[in-house]
Amino acid sequence: MATHPAECADDPPGGIVIQRTPIDTATLLAAVADVAAGGNVLFVGTARGVTDGVITKSLAYEAHEPLARKTLEALRLQALARFSLTACGIVHRLGPVAAGEASVAIAASAPHRREAFAAAEWLMERIKADVPIWKSEERDDGGRVWVHPVATARPGGAA
Amino acid sequence: MHDNLPVPDIATLRIAVFAGMAEIAGRRHIELPWDGGTVADARRLVRAAYPALTALLDRSAFAVGSRYVGDDAAIVVGDDVAMIPPVSGG
């Protein structure tokens, strides 16, 4: 797998990948496997084909890539510490993503399942709030719309 | 004006815009005349130059380089500035 080079030698497996090619979830899951990990959670977010009754043919993602990478790296490190993970990997896809294909995948491994489940969910919530990546939906009627959810806080949290 | 006086450089601040903001602005970068100031000052100038961006601008963060910054952060010409509207990754 094309993992990002670890910043330090003892960085746990996984890492951050932002790519324009399909996500290989099996490889991601294998990357976080460890004999010390009894719980390995793989979350896969896929491009939804129907939203509020409207058909979506495909999604297209764009990002502020340097800031997205840095934010994902920070979130991953927070998750490793907060949930005592043995490994964590996050892959996000950019560009067009057909309905049904994976747009994001998170793998979290911990000695016990509870922490691995919690970490994957926490990371997804943070990604959806703070990582500068946007999707546009290509509707079945040919229309295309950017998604900017009405949030209570601006991206970036406290900044 | 004296002929020998140098013409002052008109400093320009370049701001990257994304997604729905880029669609509304019709471009991926906007340029503002800039003689220094903060993110709050940049917000005022963007609002004046691109009123159609106001709704998203009010819900956007600013980034300089690869970090989010608050409204009181200083911006100088040459900074890599971006407006970050509400995100929808995942």
Side-chain angles (χ1 to χ4, degrees), chain B residues 34-49:
Chain B
W34 191 253
D35 58 1
T38 64
V39 167
D41 297 322
R43 285 187 189 276
R44 278 191 284 276
L45 287 174
V46 172
R47 189 174 290 114

Side-chain angles (χ1 to χ4, degrees), chain A residues 99-122:
Chain A
E101 291 185 0
S103 52
V104 64
I106 296 171
S109 294
H112 302 285
R113 69 182 180 282
R114 196 177 303 275
E115 288 74 23
F117 275 126
E121 181 169 29
W122 181 84

